[in-house]
Structures are given as structure tokens and as C-alpha cells.
């Protein structure tokens, strides 16, 4: 199971590295053009923003997992905590999506 958590952490890091520069560019353009801000109201753009929040939460959770593995003794009960953390990541993403 920890292989999957490590994979999610790596993939979310790569996705964030690709997405964040475009996201910040878009925010900068949005400050210049009202038409661009209107474009950001499209469902696909809102979905991408939701995806960004989920990626950030997943990457943060994966980073905490790595710290726990390196600094703490890894016990069986901690696998349950990792599953709870994954559920919280999804809940945070869904809460953000519902707020849109």
C-alpha cells in the first residue's frame, strides 16, 4: 500500500510542477483583462482549480507521510492513519468543489 502512496506523492508533485506556472501566469493575466476573468468562470477552469486543491492536499499528505517514515517507527496502525489522511484529502477537495 505504501507504494501507492509514494506514487501519488510523486505524480502529484509532477502535476503541480507543470500546472502551477500556468496557473500563476493565468492569475497575472486575470489582473490585466476582464475578459480573461470571465473565461475563468467556465466549468473546465473551475474543475482545474478543484484539481489543483486536491493535488496540493495529496502532495502535502504525501510529504507528511515521508516525514513520518523517516522520523518515526512505522507501525501497522499507521496504515489506517494514512487511509484516513487520504479520505481527508478527498473531503477537502470535494468541499472546495462544492464551494465553487
Amino acid at each position: 500500500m505504501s507504494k501507492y502512496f509514494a506514487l501519488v506523492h510523486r505524480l502529484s508533485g509532477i502535476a503541480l510542477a507543470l500546472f502551477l506556472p500556468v496557473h500563476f501566469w493565468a492569475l497575472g493575466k486575470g489582473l490585466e483583462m476582464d475578459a480573461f476573468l470571465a473565461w475563468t468562470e467556465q466549468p473546465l477552469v473551475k474543475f482545474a482549480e478543484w484539481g489543483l486543491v486536491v493535488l496540493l492536499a495529496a502532495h502535502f499528505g504525501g510529504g507528511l507521510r515521508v516525514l513520518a517514515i523517516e522520523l518515526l517507527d512505522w507501525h501497522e496502525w499507521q496504515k489506517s492513519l494514512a487511509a484516513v489522511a487520504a479520505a481527508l484529502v478527498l473531503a477537502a477537495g470535494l468541499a472546495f468543489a462544492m464551494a465553487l
Side-chain angles (χ1 to χ4, degrees), residues 32-52:
E32 298 172 14
M33 302 181 296
D34 288 335
F36 186 81
L37 286 176
W39 175 78
T40 62
E41 294 298 320
Q42 294 182 28
L44 184 60
V45 176
K46 288 191 174 282
F47 180 75
E49 289 291 322
W50 170 79
L52 176 64

Side-chain angles (χ1 to χ4, degrees), residues 21-72:
V22 174
H23 176 71
F24 291 133
W25 172 82
L27 287 175
K29 287 292 184 186
L31 295 174
E32 298 172 14
M33 302 181 296
D34 288 335
F36 186 81
L37 286 176
W39 175 78
T40 62
E41 294 298 320
Q42 294 182 28
L44 184 60
V45 176
K46 288 191 174 282
F47 180 75
E49 289 291 322
W50 170 79
L52 176 64
V53 170
V54 172
L55 285 173
L56 284 169
H59 196 68
F60 178 72
L64 291 178
R65 178 191 156 273
V66 169
L67 286 173
I69 288 171
E70 291 178 0
L71 301 175
L72 304 171

Side-chain angles (χ1 to χ4, degrees), residues 76-92:
E76 280 299 312
W77 61 269
Q78 289 173 319
K79 291 181 182 179
S80 297
L81 288 179
V84 169
L88 290 173
V89 165
L90 290 176

